[in-house]
Amino acid sequence: MTDVVLDAVTAEPDWLRCESCRELVYGRRYRRDLRICPHCRAHGRLTAPERIATLFDPGSVVDLPAVEVAEDPLGFAAQRPYPESLARARAQTGLPEAALCVRATIEGEPVYAVVLDFRFLGGSMGVAVGEAVTRTAEAALRDRLPLLLVTASGGARMQEGALSLMQMAKTSQALAALDEAGVLTITLVTDPTYGGVAASFTTLTDVVLAEPGAHLGFAGPRVIAQTTGQRLPEGFQTAEFLLARGLIDDVVPRVAVPGAIARLLRVAAPAPLEPDDPLALLPSAHQPSPWLMRIGKQSKEAEPAQVAEPAGAAERTAWEAVRLARHPDRPTTADYVSYLLTDFHELHGDRIGGDSRAVIAGLGRLGDLPIVLVGHDKGHRTTERTARNFGMASPAGYRKAARVMRLAAKLGLPVVTLIDTPGADPGPDSESNGQAVAIAENLRLMARLPVPVVCVVIGEGGSGGALAVGVGNRVLAAEHAVYSVISPEGCAAILWKDPAAAPDAATALRLTPRDLLGQGVIDAIVPEPPGGAHTDPIRAAELLGEAVERTLRELSTMSADELVTQRFNRFRALGGPAV
């Protein structure tokens, strides 16, 4: 925003011109609206004190002690001596350095936070900022409280030379320690975030959120354009550009940021053991999962799984089962999320360069149980089904699922997967990007997850694309779902030499829940409303939620070692020697 008229009383802009849409904006309204243009919704920059005032609960903020370091380790001087630049920045901003560190709450959830201020030498990271980030991370580690990083920076501070560069390694080490301890970390990227700050702690957190229009990158666009001589794409390095390429988790408008962060904190914040808790004496590998420690004292008695015997399952022809499993109105993962979960926040991208809308992944609550959910989603209407590639995930989708499941392992949260896909995406781009490798990596990862894993085939379970999120301690199937090594049409074309023989192939493949239960491929069948889940999606969701919750509680007393061993033995026994 550019000043037009100054208010003589407040000495602040009375009228502004938006740098994005060039419309005039009344200054007081602009500040009241958190510096968001009312015409184009462009997000202006907030100072660190403004950010703290708008992000955290009133009265909850406790400032952490300022960091004292050598201020001019190189005796650096350019147009002016470095100490003069520091003094000028302090006078202009009223801040001791480019980072403010606090302990506070967001909607009642405690958190440690580091907030950078771009006004202070471009929010650059020198020794003081690196030390501030590291000490705040260490405080979060000590108290086992989540860490929030609000970034705005031009990168490492040139005036401190290689010492500034080394702060990238130091802060990254601090984030790695929080990973090992299972402490949630979140970044809020604001405009702009570049250089060494972007290439260290900013992008190492569990969840990376960004404000609309925020720029994030290593090299700035002008440097890239001058170096390469190439014309950069529209919106290059903006939050929206990065989201579409799987590099950040979400773009969140400023007014919605506190709620989004609070949801993540409610689901994922660890609960420290009380000193007199006997579980505290057990080695971590032998403790029940941390999520149970939060809900275990009020855990309901585990009830039996739904339908445990083939005789109790509905009798339909295999082809009828296939047609019901593929019904376009059948509830999808997105539907089940909306019906069953609270505090759900979807995470996006594989952090490598891609995303897949065929896979939904995120954190939420099933009743009082915090969980990580991963599921295929086919969509309903034609446009939605096309956008979601009919539930056929690319390698980026499976790598996204893997990233979120690793987060579940870090935080000690159970994983619930919902399977509904005709198979993995068969296109040339997916093959070029390692589809087989992505699926294989997921199978290995899920085999060793130290948390409860419950998988449910909610519709069509097709081939390795389904199994890639199907390695669980318990595998359930909805009453009218199917699960097979290949589609009936594909099988008929290969073995019958006639696609019209698909009904015969479906029968031969024995792909119905009744068949699968008898084979030991699934452990239980989840009932559906009469006629199928599409006839009453809400009731279908209730039945699914009850089955998953009961199954999770059944697994809740098992330690990490026991969960991994049970999962290994379950799949080891499939197709073993006849007794």
Side-chain angles (χ1 to χ4, degrees), residues 253-323:
R254 184 169 291 162
V255 294
V257 164
I261 294 175
R263 285 194 299 273
L264 292 166
L265 298 178
R266 280 193 291 269
V267 173
L273 291 172
E274 298 175 5
D276 58 349
D277 192 325
L279 292 175
L281 302 177
L282 293 173
S284 60
H286 300 287
Q287 293 179 8
S289 297
W291 67 280
L292 177 68
M293 298 174 189
R294 281 180 268 172
I295 58 93
K297 291 183 173 61
Q298 68 263 25
S299 287
K300 304 169 186 174
E301 192 69 26
E303 300 177 30
Q306 290 291 303
V307 177
E309 297 296 332
E315 291 192 40
R316 290 186 181 273
T317 69
W319 189 241
E320 286 175 331
V322 170
R323 290 167 65 88

Side-chain angles (χ1 to χ4, degrees), residues 227-241:
T227 303
T228 66
Q230 297 178 3
R231 183 176 180 179
L232 300 179
E234 186 71 24
F236 183 69
Q237 293 183 326
T238 63
E240 294 78 8
F241 182 93

Side-chain angles (χ1 to χ4, degrees), residues 25 87 209 251 285 331 375 392 478 534:
V25 181
L209 308 177
V251 177
M392 296 184 292
H534 63 284

Side-chain angles (χ1 to χ4, degrees), residues 424-488:
D425 178 66
D429 286 345
S430 288
E431 288 300 315
S432 298
N433 286 309
Q435 184 71 286
V437 175
I439 291 172
E441 291 284 357
N442 271 26
L443 299 179
R444 179 170 61 182
L445 169 66
M446 295 190 76
R448 307 302 297 172
L449 287 175
V451 295
V453 182
V454 176
C455 308
V456 188
V457 185
I458 60 171
E460 191 175 11
S463 189
L467 184 61
V469 294
V471 182
N473 296 97
R474 298 285 187 274
V475 181
L476 315 180
E479 186 177 359
H480 301 305
V482 294
Y483 201 2
S484 176
V485 65
I486 191 171
S487 71

Side-chain angles (χ1 to χ4, degrees), residues 115-195:
V115 182
L116 299 185
D117 196 313
F118 193 77
R119 299 174 303 159
F120 196 107
L121 298 181
S124 55
M125 178 169 63
V127 172
V129 170
E131 185 69 14
V133 171
T134 301
R135 290 191 189 183
T136 307
E138 290 169 346
L141 178 64
R142 180 194 65 225
D143 295 343
R144 290 189 58 79
L145 288 178
L147 175 67
L148 171 64
L149 304 168
V150 183
T151 62
S153 176
R157 190 170 295 176
M158 293 177 288
Q159 297 93 328
E160 297 184 20
L163 285 173
S164 176
L165 184 67
M166 294 305 110
Q167 304 311 302
M168 294 172 63
K170 182 166 77 175
T171 56
S172 298
Q173 287 182 165
L175 269 291
L178 292 173
D179 286 339
E180 292 173 1
V183 176
L184 176 69
T185 55
I186 303 171
T187 297
L188 175 63
V189 177
T190 74
D191 189 62
T193 299
Y194 280 109

